[in-house]
Amino acid sequence: MHIGLIGLGKMGNNMRARLERNGIQVTGYDTNPDISDVASLADLVAALPAPRTVWAMVPAGDITDSVVNELAGLLEAGDLLIDGGNSKFTEDFKHAELLAKTGVDFMDAGVSGGVWGLDNGYGLMVGGSAEQVERVMPVFDALRPEGPRDEGFVHVGEVGAGHYAKMVHNGIEYALMQAYAEGYELLDTRKDIIKDVTGTFKAWQRGTVVRSWLLDLLVRALEQDPEFEHIEGYVQDSGEGRWTVEEGLNNAVPLPTISASIFARFVSRQEDSPAMKAVAALRNQFGGHAVKAVD
Amino acid sequence: MHIGLIGLGKMGNNMRARLERNGIQVTGYDTNPDISDVASLADLVAALPAPRTVWAMVPAGDITDSVVNELAGLLEAGDLLIDGGNSKFTEDFKHAELLAKTGVDFMDAGVSGGVWGLDNGYGLMVGGSAEQVERVMPVFDALRPEGPRDEGFVHVGEVGAGHYAKMVHNGIEYALMQAYAEGYELLDTRKDIIKDVTGTFKAWQRGTVVRSWLLDLLVRALEQDPEFEHIEGYVQDSGEGRWTVEEGLNNAVPLPTISASIFARFVSRQEDSPAMKAVAALRNQFGGHAVKAVD
Amino acid sequence: MHIGLIGLGKMGNNMRARLERNGIQVTGYDTNPDISDVASLADLVAALPAPRTVWAMVPAGDITDSVVNELAGLLEAGDLLIDGGNSKFTEDFKHAELLAKTGVDFMDAGVSGGVWGLDNGYGLMVGGSAEQVERVMPVFDALRPEGPRDEGFVHVGEVGAGHYAKMVHNGIEYALMQAYAEGYELLDTRKDIIKDVTGTFKAWQRGTVVRSWLLDLLVRALEQDPEFEHIEGYVQDSGEGRWTVEEGLNNAVPLPTISASIFARFVSRQEDSPAMKAVAALRNQFGGHAVKAVD
Amino acid sequence: MHIGLIGLGKMGNNMRARLERNGIQVTGYDTNPDISDVASLADLVAALPAPRTVWAMVPAGDITDSVVNELAGLLEAGDLLIDGGNSKFTEDFKHAELLAKTGVDFMDAGVSGGVWGLDNGYGLMVGGSAEQVERVMPVFDALRPEGPRDEGFVHVGEVGAGHYAKMVHNGIEYALMQAYAEGYELLDTRKDIIKDVTGTFKAWQRGTVVRSWLLDLLVRALEQDPEFEHIEGYVQDSGEGRWTVEEGLNNAVPLPTISASIFARFVSRQEDSPAMKAVAALRNQFGGHAVKAVD
């Protein structure tokens, strides 16, 4: 099988390697000419055998949107485009509709695994028709982890369902990370009692209820920098966490831990908190409590 | 009526003024000899007519504990001690038991109102027997706000009940302040839309559902420093908020907003967050996401 | 001044009464012919002197949208429509643009006060140009509470700003209510200590830091039904709370108490919680903890 | 090695089996004579070679307390008692002090793994001196999972440290479970999009960031009862989660997700929520919003 792959960044490049390692021929396109196999999207389309299969692995939002729009003018009836980036599921509905006008098929694929996917395989959640899934299965099988297919791949539903599942996956991921982080902070704060914080996390890797891949990574990080001396408590967030909470709001689903973990990230990026300034000002007003004045 | 007042700080001094203004004779004791009427607790006790009424207005914890212990050796059967500070209700049980050994009565009084109490009167929540309450009522009437007694004073229950009610009052207060503060931050962040943040809060003072005394104080603070330029978002907490959540835990009562407001204060005081360092480290481990390195 | 008022429900009817009481002539339209002055929106427009001022007070969403669309075909250049309902601020942008095509002015007004507005006046937050605000000021002055104008009325910014401020107002309101409710539950749970729950809330009305209009209403509710025996813990939410959190997410503003109060409402409406079924199932899996089986 | 084991319930019995399987001789005592090897604690002590090693595996609180107190009168200098139950770490300080009076050693051990521990091994976190740890190491090695010792066992610190680490472990566990549960509820609510909820969780088992043992158990539970039709969303909590939050409060460590998961359990057990009754009553007061009346 021979596919086109758009986006040869950190994720795309690793995926290309895994695909090729598993017998899929890949022609890659990237805006960076140094790493691109072809000069343009038009050249990419020209280089692929019809009916074409193209996998887009570019940042969600404007960039994905512009790639899809350009491809809508290049691909032909019977071709198939897969958006493997982190697009919002509502974008998939729009993109599928656009491409359907010229008979081009569209699928969405949520891809998990980060930089470890090259060796471990990528967890895949895909949306589309049964026929589309069957057609792309060799690609999915090349990307997903070893072992039973249904433990690393799922056909979630129609177009949009793959990204929906990935969105929720990431929402859960945020809260899992926050849970371990809270426990870490408490243990770290009571080093008068806990003489071996890293060792405690390390010992949770086998037998305990909290063992997980994230725990393994936390142990790895602690072994590299046991006091996190070389890292700031400043945490970005991508869209999926926010969209998960937005979906919770739209569907009256309570998401207290997922929202708490996103809010914690927001706070982590603030130099000072306007809200806490207001609280400090209020305390000062009613109680005459001293405030910390800005110098 | 003639009472003793222990603690002539910000709160105690204002209370003394309001008591005297309303016809209660006060002999005051403070560890600061410049403002104390008498040289010692023993002198205070000696200066009061028996049966004595003594109001302690000192910091909760060790200081209150030591005052009560010293008074236990000075007061006589039939005397009455009122703890008007912010003691934990469980301390009241202990203090009442200690004093009962020598026939000394004990009451607890939660006092709200801050620096405004001198002029507005103090909201009072008291614990003790009906007889005790009746005996001290002239003092309560002098301290409480004008208007119907039951809108500014309550006999909550037996010893400890007054401080319990005050504890919950403060727990609620924390969450109310946080609620306004969150709204402030959102309005302040969208100054592209909200052209008059202070004016918006000011306009909520009459007619709206959110009008309150805290809102009035927030308007006052914003009019003094509209951008909170001279204040840091660093907020202390006294014990009551924590005890409220502890009681929620002990009694299986969910307190999501009260706990959230206390946690927000904890975060406000951290230079960097160990928990968010852990999250940043985790993201770096699985996604190769750049971390903000400490310089 | 003579204006048209669309929507004569609970809110609209009270507003009409207050407007007329304060010298504004009102022609009202409602889809219910029994209470409507005119038979149609076209008749309403015909009944008003040009340039017309029309105030829409109908449910947000589809109904407001259809009213605005119909009026777009009826009103003339120089007329002015005010949306006083609880529309999302993004709707205002759309409606202003639509009406601008035919030279019709558009303003948005957030209105707070509920059923008490008739007598207390309505807190008003409006969006539009300075000229528009000046033109409608007699109406705003008739609706707003007695006292200084800027304590019950604010010109927040351009179109959309009024509804934005009202949205945040309601978000805050949710969290304030939740705060009192959590305190109530804790006091109610410890009736072994708190012998007079209603009396405790009543005593907070004067002098304390937590005094507010919502507290007054809670006291009123407790006096009518001290154990809330005739009420279920089932709470609806209108859109503003959700939109507030959505805006927090969009702007990276942490809103822990506001989101917690919305989630509490979601839970209150569930017969059983899918999430807690999953937790119960998990505990059963690892610990052999008994689950409560559905009969 | 020959030890005494007190408590032959679900956990104790499995631990006994694993100990014996790995060459440790066990004399067991239980209050249930049908399963007990000896008739009393005195008989247990008599049956063990001095210096004795006794492992208590009984419910935390009063029962553990009474077992320790009885053993204090039976064990002799040089004997060693290990509390392997879920005691609060502050209890350990008390128990160690009591036993030290007669020269009896005391250690605490947090044990994780539930009903799976028999086959998987138990994650162990222990508190005590280096000498004590060395002395009991054959027992720890018999109980812990296969593989490197430090991935399933940790000597956390002095007495109390083992239970402290286990407490935090369980606090984290609560939040992890809640995180998956929230994701489950959102997916389950959007079954219009997610055609295969169980399959989605199943596919997260390999390659994804959220893979974990708890996820494996959730898949197992969903495969047994895909709609959770036979389970109620009613979730108990043991002490550790509460103590974790209490420790967070005592040490100014923010724990938003851990506290949220405990509060969710509290709510799950309420027939109706007093807090939400109060919110419903408030909405009714200001807005005339209909309330759901109790029939």
Side-chain angles (χ1 to χ4, degrees):
Chain A
M1 194 163 179
H2 179 184
I3 70 165
L5 180 63
I6 302 168
L8 302 173
K10 201 161 44 179
M11 278 294 281
N13 200 47
N14 277 351
M15 289 172 70
R16 176 205 193 116
R18 188 170 175 95
L19 285 166
E20 291 176 344
R21 188 186 290 179
N22 288 296
I24 306 288
Q25 186 180 344
V26 177
T27 301
Y29 169 73
D30 197 277
T31 50
N32 176 356
D34 294 344
I35 57 175
S36 188
D37 298 330
V38 290
S40 66
L41 284 180
D43 286 358
L44 178 71
V45 169
L48 297 173
R52 299 169 189 84
T53 300
V54 179
W55 187 294
M57 206 64 206
V58 297
D62 290 346
I63 296 178
T64 293
D65 213 43
S66 102
V67 164
V68 174
N69 277 284
E70 189 173 348
L71 287 172
L74 297 170
L75 293 174
E76 297 171 344
D79 290 349
L80 169 61
L81 173 64
I82 302 146
D83 177 6
N86 277 326
S87 297
K88 194 171 182 180
F89 69 101
T90 47
E91 290 292 289
D92 297 325
F93 302 152
K94 198 181 70 181
H95 291 152
E97 196 180 339
L98 170 71
L99 292 166
K101 288 181 188 164
T102 51
V104 177
D105 279 15
F106 178 79
M107 295 185 70
D108 60 296
V111 179
S112 182
V115 294
W116 300 78
L118 172 58
D119 291 323
N120 291 354
Y122 299 91
L124 299 176
M125 304 140 246
V126 311
S129 70
E131 294 71 29
Q132 292 167 345
V133 169
E134 197 182 343
R135 174 171 163 190
V136 190
M137 193 55 86
V139 176
F140 297 142
D141 278 340
L143 288 173
R144 70 169 176 82
E146 307 291 308
R149 182 187 284 161
D150 63 355
E151 296 185 3
F153 166 88
V154 61
H155 176 199
V156 186
E158 299 302 309
V159 162
H163 280 144
Y164 199 98
K166 178 58 164 41
M167 173 189 80
V168 176
H169 167 281
N170 282 29
I172 292 171
E173 175 192 308
Y174 278 41
L176 298 179
M177 291 165 77
Q178 181 69 23
Y180 286 113
E182 291 175 12
Y184 166 74
E185 180 166 335
L186 186 51
L187 292 178
D188 185 65
T189 302
R190 292 308 301 269
K191 275 190 290 214
D192 57 324
I193 292 178
I194 306 298
K195 301 299 182 191
D196 187 356
V197 173
T198 298
T200 299
F201 280 95
K202 194 172 176 63
W204 289 347
Q205 291 182 283
R206 291 173 187 262
T208 73
V209 175
V210 304
R211 64 191 191 263
S212 71
W213 189 59
L214 281 167
L215 177 71
D216 294 342
L217 293 182
L218 185 54
V219 171
R220 201 166 174 270
L222 282 166
E223 289 185 332
Q224 291 168 5
D225 181 4
E227 301 288 332
F228 292 142
E229 281 173 335
H230 305 294
I231 201 163
E232 250 187 60
Y234 180 102
V235 189
Q236 292 290 0
D237 73 294
S238 55
E240 292 101 338
R242 302 182 185 202
W243 303 333
T244 304
V245 178
E246 195 183 296
E247 269 294 288
L249 293 169
N250 289 340
N251 293 283
V253 172
L255 302 174
T257 67
I258 296 175
S259 58
S261 38
I262 291 166
F263 291 150
R265 294 187 176 197
F266 291 170
V267 173
S268 82
R269 304 199 297 261
Q270 296 184 323
E271 282 211 25
D272 200 354
S273 158
M276 300 320 285
K277 282 170 175 256
V279 174
L282 273 173
R283 287 187 88 230
N284 176 252
Q285 286 290 334
F286 70 71
H289 298 285
V291 296
K292 258 196 145 171
V294 174
D295 296 326
Chain B
M1 195 164 179
H2 179 186
I3 71 166
L5 180 62
I6 302 168
L8 302 173
K10 203 161 44 181
M11 277 295 279
N13 201 46
N14 276 351
M15 289 171 71
R16 175 205 193 114
R18 187 169 176 96
L19 286 166
E20 291 176 344
R21 189 186 288 177
N22 288 295
I24 306 289
Q25 188 182 342
V26 177
T27 300
Y29 170 73
D30 197 278
T31 51
N32 176 355
D34 295 343
I35 56 173
S36 189
D37 298 331
V38 289
S40 66
L41 283 179
D43 287 358
L44 178 71
V45 169
L48 297 172
R52 299 169 191 84
T53 300
V54 179
W55 187 295
M57 206 67 208
V58 297
D62 290 345
I63 297 180
T64 293
D65 214 41
S66 103
V67 164
V68 174
N69 277 285
E70 189 173 347
L71 287 172
L74 296 170
L75 293 173
E76 297 171 344
D79 290 348
L80 169 62
L81 174 64
I82 302 147
D83 178 6
N86 277 327
S87 297
K88 196 172 181 179
F89 70 101
T90 48
E91 290 292 288
D92 297 325
F93 302 153
K94 199 180 70 181
H95 292 152
E97 197 180 338
L98 171 70
L99 293 167
K101 289 179 188 167
T102 50
V104 177
D105 279 15
F106 179 78
M107 297 184 69
D108 59 296
V111 179
S112 181
V115 294
W116 299 78
L118 173 57
D119 291 324
N120 291 353
Y122 299 91
L124 299 176
M125 303 140 246
V126 309
S129 70
E131 295 70 31
Q132 291 167 344
V133 169
E134 197 184 342
R135 175 170 162 190
V136 192
M137 193 55 86
V139 175
F140 298 142
D141 278 339
L143 289 172
R144 71 171 175 81
E146 307 291 308
R149 182 187 284 161
D150 63 356
E151 296 185 3
F153 167 88
V154 61
H155 177 199
V156 186
E158 298 303 308
V159 162
H163 280 145
Y164 198 99
K166 178 58 165 37
M167 174 190 80
V168 176
H169 168 281
N170 282 30
I172 293 171
E173 176 192 306
Y174 278 41
L176 298 180
M177 290 164 78
Q178 181 70 23
Y180 287 113
E182 291 175 11
Y184 166 75
E185 181 166 335
L186 186 50
L187 292 178
D188 185 64
T189 301
R190 291 309 300 269
K191 275 191 289 216
D192 57 324
I193 292 177
I194 307 297
K195 300 300 183 190
D196 186 357
V197 173
T198 298
T200 299
F201 279 95
K202 194 173 176 60
W204 288 347
Q205 291 183 283
R206 292 173 186 260
T208 74
V209 174
V210 303
R211 63 190 191 264
S212 72
W213 188 59
L214 280 166
L215 176 69
D216 294 342
L217 292 182
L218 185 54
V219 171
R220 201 165 172 269
L222 283 166
E223 289 185 331
Q224 290 166 5
D225 182 3
E227 301 289 332
F228 291 141
E229 280 173 337
H230 305 293
I231 202 164
E232 251 188 58
Y234 180 101
V235 189
Q236 293 290 1
D237 74 294
S238 54
E240 292 102 335
R242 301 181 186 203
W243 302 333
T244 303
V245 178
E246 195 183 298
E247 269 293 289
L249 294 168
N250 288 341
N251 294 282
V253 172
L255 301 175
T257 66
I258 295 176
S259 59
S261 37
I262 290 166
F263 292 150
R265 293 186 178 198
F266 291 170
V267 173
S268 82
R269 304 199 298 259
Q270 296 184 320
E271 281 210 26
D272 200 353
S273 158
M276 299 321 285
K277 281 170 176 257
V279 174
L282 274 173
R283 288 186 86 229
N284 177 251
Q285 286 290 334
F286 70 73
H289 298 285
V291 296
K292 260 197 141 170
V294 173
D295 297 325
Chain C
M1 194 165 179
H2 179 185
I3 71 165
L5 179 63
I6 301 169
L8 301 173
K10 204 161 42 180
M11 277 294 280
N13 201 48
N14 277 351
M15 289 172 70
R16 176 205 193 117
R18 187 168 176 96
L19 286 166
E20 291 177 343
R21 190 187 286 177
N22 288 295
I24 306 289
Q25 187 181 343
V26 177
T27 300
Y29 169 73
D30 198 277
T31 50
N32 175 356
D34 295 344
I35 56 172
S36 189
D37 298 331
V38 289
S40 67
L41 284 179
D43 287 358
L44 178 72
V45 169
L48 296 173
R52 297 168 191 84
T53 300
V54 178
W55 187 295
M57 206 68 207
V58 297
D62 290 346
I63 296 180
T64 292
D65 214 41
S66 102
V67 164
V68 173
N69 277 283
E70 190 174 346
L71 286 172
L74 296 170
L75 293 174
E76 296 171 344
D79 290 348
L80 168 60
L81 173 64
I82 302 147
D83 178 5
N86 277 326
S87 296
K88 196 171 180 177
F89 69 101
T90 47
E91 290 292 289
D92 296 326
F93 302 153
K94 199 180 71 180
H95 292 152
E97 196 180 339
L98 171 72
L99 292 167
K101 289 180 188 167
T102 50
V104 177
D105 279 16
F106 178 79
M107 298 184 69
D108 60 296
V111 179
S112 182
V115 295
W116 299 78
L118 172 57
D119 291 325
N120 292 354
Y122 299 91
L124 300 177
M125 303 139 246
V126 310
S129 70
E131 295 71 29
Q132 290 166 345
V133 169
E134 195 182 345
R135 174 171 163 190
V136 191
M137 193 56 86
V139 174
F140 297 142
D141 277 340
L143 288 173
R144 71 169 176 83
E146 308 290 310
R149 182 186 282 159
D150 63 357
E151 296 185 4
F153 167 88
V154 60
H155 177 200
V156 186
E158 297 303 307
V159 161
H163 280 144
Y164 198 99
K166 178 58 164 40
M167 174 190 81
V168 176
H169 168 281
N170 282 30
I172 293 171
E173 175 192 307
Y174 278 41
L176 298 180
M177 290 165 78
Q178 182 69 22
Y180 287 113
E182 291 175 11
Y184 166 74
E185 181 166 335
L186 186 50
L187 292 177
D188 185 65
T189 301
R190 293 308 302 267
K191 275 191 289 215
D192 57 325
I193 292 177
I194 307 297
K195 300 301 183 189
D196 187 357
V197 173
T198 298
T200 298
F201 280 96
K202 194 174 176 62
W204 288 346
Q205 291 182 283
R206 291 174 187 260
T208 74
V209 175
V210 303
R211 64 190 191 265
S212 71
W213 189 58
L214 280 166
L215 177 69
D216 294 342
L217 293 182
L218 185 53
V219 171
R220 200 166 174 269
L222 283 165
E223 289 185 330
Q224 290 167 6
D225 181 3
E227 301 289 331
F228 290 142
E229 281 173 337
H230 305 294
I231 202 164
E232 253 189 56
Y234 181 101
V235 189
Q236 292 290 1
D237 73 293
S238 55
E240 291 100 338
R242 302 182 186 201
W243 302 333
T244 303
V245 178
E246 194 184 298
E247 269 294 290
L249 293 167
N250 289 341
N251 294 283
V253 172
L255 301 175
T257 66
I258 296 175
S259 58
S261 38
I262 290 166
F263 292 151
R265 292 186 178 200
F266 291 170
V267 173
S268 82
R269 303 199 298 260
Q270 296 184 322
E271 282 211 24
D272 200 353
S273 158
M276 299 321 285
K277 282 171 176 257
V279 175
L282 274 173
R283 289 186 87 230
N284 177 251
Q285 287 290 334
F286 70 72
H289 298 285
V291 297
K292 259 198 143 172
V294 174
D295 298 324
Chain D
M1 193 163 180
H2 180 183
I3 70 166
L5 180 62
I6 302 168
L8 302 172
K10 205 160 42 181
M11 278 294 280
N13 200 48
N14 277 351
M15 289 171 70
R16 176 205 191 114
R18 187 169 175 96
L19 285 166
E20 291 177 344
R21 189 186 288 178
N22 289 296
I24 306 288
Q25 187 181 345
V26 176
T27 301
Y29 170 73
D30 197 278
T31 50
N32 176 357
D34 294 344
I35 56 174
S36 188
D37 298 330
V38 289
S40 67
L41 284 179
D43 287 359
L44 178 71
V45 169
L48 296 172
R52 298 169 190 85
T53 301
V54 179
W55 188 294
M57 206 65 205
V58 297
D62 290 346
I63 296 179
T64 293
D65 213 43
S66 103
V67 165
V68 174
N69 276 284
E70 190 173 347
L71 287 172
L74 297 170
L75 293 173
E76 296 171 343
D79 290 349
L80 169 61
L81 174 64
I82 302 145
D83 177 7
N86 277 326
S87 296
K88 194 171 180 177
F89 69 101
T90 47
E91 290 291 289
D92 296 326
F93 302 152
K94 199 180 69 182
H95 293 151
E97 196 181 339
L98 171 71
L99 293 166
K101 288 180 188 166
T102 51
V104 177
D105 279 15
F106 179 79
M107 298 185 68
D108 60 296
V111 179
S112 182
V115 294
W116 299 78
L118 172 57
D119 292 324
N120 292 354
Y122 299 91
L124 299 177
M125 303 140 243
V126 310
S129 70
E131 295 71 29
Q132 292 167 343
V133 169
E134 196 183 345
R135 174 170 163 191
V136 191
M137 193 56 86
V139 175
F140 297 142
D141 277 340
L143 288 173
R144 71 170 176 81
E146 307 291 308
R149 182 187 283 160
D150 63 356
E151 297 185 5
F153 167 88
V154 62
H155 177 198
V156 186
E158 298 302 308
V159 162
H163 280 144
Y164 198 98
K166 179 59 164 39
M167 174 190 80
V168 176
H169 168 282
N170 282 30
I172 293 171
E173 174 192 308
Y174 278 41
L176 298 179
M177 291 165 78
Q178 181 69 23
Y180 288 113
E182 292 175 11
Y184 166 73
E185 180 166 335
L186 186 51
L187 292 177
D188 185 66
T189 302
R190 293 308 302 268
K191 276 191 291 215
D192 56 324
I193 292 178
I194 307 297
K195 300 300 183 191
D196 186 357
V197 173
T198 298
T200 298
F201 279 95
K202 194 173 177 61
W204 289 347
Q205 291 182 283
R206 291 173 186 261
T208 74
V209 175
V210 303
R211 63 190 191 264
S212 72
W213 189 57
L214 279 167
L215 177 70
D216 294 342
L217 292 182
L218 185 53
V219 171
R220 200 166 173 270
L222 282 165
E223 289 184 332
Q224 290 168 5
D225 181 3
E227 302 287 332
F228 291 142
E229 281 173 337
H230 305 293
I231 201 163
E232 250 188 59
Y234 180 102
V235 189
Q236 291 291 0
D237 74 295
S238 55
E240 291 100 337
R242 301 182 186 200
W243 303 332
T244 304
V245 178
E246 196 184 297
E247 270 293 289
L249 294 169
N250 288 340
N251 294 284
V253 172
L255 301 175
T257 67
I258 296 175
S259 59
S261 37
I262 290 165
F263 291 150
R265 293 186 177 198
F266 290 170
V267 173
S268 82
R269 304 199 298 261
Q270 296 184 321
E271 281 211 23
D272 199 354
S273 158
M276 299 321 284
K277 282 170 176 256
V279 175
L282 273 173
R283 288 186 87 230
N284 176 252
Q285 286 291 335
F286 70 70
H289 298 286
V291 296
K292 259 196 145 172
V294 175
D295 296 326

